[in-house]
Amino acid sequence: GVGYESNEASILTNVSSDHLDLQGIHTLPELAEVKSTICRITKPDGWVILNGDDPYVSAVARRVRANVAYFSLLPGGSDPVRRHVERGGRAYLVRGGSLVEVNGPDTTEIAEIRRIPITIGGLARHNVANALAAAGGARGLGATIEEVSHGLTDFRPDADRSPGRLNLFRLGAKVIIVDFAHNEAGIAAVLDVAQGIAG
């Protein structure tokens, strides 16, 4: 359940097979319905930030009362994102190596990916997506573009500020990654980063 009645902003990043077969939830559409609760209780003047690359998540837009913004890693955004922007909607995208906020025809740069430490120069694609989602959530709560940019470029994934989340250590010529990835998506993300570092 949810311990409060409403929120001003919500973010739904993905729906994957994690947590299936618990408390009567056996399919991804059922899990999407449960996860979307946080979005359905967002106030009408608030913002719901949805992953436009996940079909279960992007479909949640039809069931919310709040303003909707999407984020997408796909060039130009996925089909739902492109249609949303063409209608004057808001999206958070990657363009020219930077995170950008798009409002209909207007585009504003937020920060260069290489300057956002949690993306590890763009190798951690899952954290590029997380940065887009965080930018949308912060903007939904009223943060300025400058405040969002500062927050993204200031936060570092080290053991003090983010323990167990993509912490990198050097031991001689070796790089050690510590991450408490607990599902398929998390393990795949860590392995992608390891492959990128090894490359």
Side-chain angles (χ1 to χ4, degrees), residues 21 25 35 52 128-129:
D21 296 326
I25 305 300
K35 283 188 162 196
V128 174

Side-chain angles (χ1 to χ4, degrees), residues 125-192:
R125 296 286 294 161
H126 68 290
N127 276 342
V128 174
N130 287 336
L132 290 166
R139 291 285 288 149
L141 290 172
T144 66
I145 292 287
E146 294 75 21
E147 289 167 335
V148 172
S149 177
H150 177 74
L152 292 173
T153 57
D154 182 58
F155 181 77
R156 301 193 184 308
D158 58 39
D160 292 328
R161 295 172 105 177
S162 186
R165 289 297 192 171
L166 206 58
N167 303 147
L168 301 180
F169 301 93
R170 288 196 177 275
L171 182 61
K174 296 176 182 159
V175 175
I176 299 161
I177 301 172
V178 176
D179 191 288
F180 98 105
H182 61 285
N183 58 32
E184 286 180 46
I187 299 229
V190 171
L191 292 175
D192 283 347

Side-chain angles (χ1 to χ4, degrees), residues 13-36:
T13 56
N14 62 13
V15 176
S16 65
S17 59
D18 195 20
H19 306 300
L20 284 183
D21 296 326
L22 297 174
Q23 300 191 16
I25 305 300
H26 304 291
T27 67
L28 289 178
E30 289 172 335
L31 185 57
E33 183 67 22
V34 171
K35 283 188 162 196
S36 72

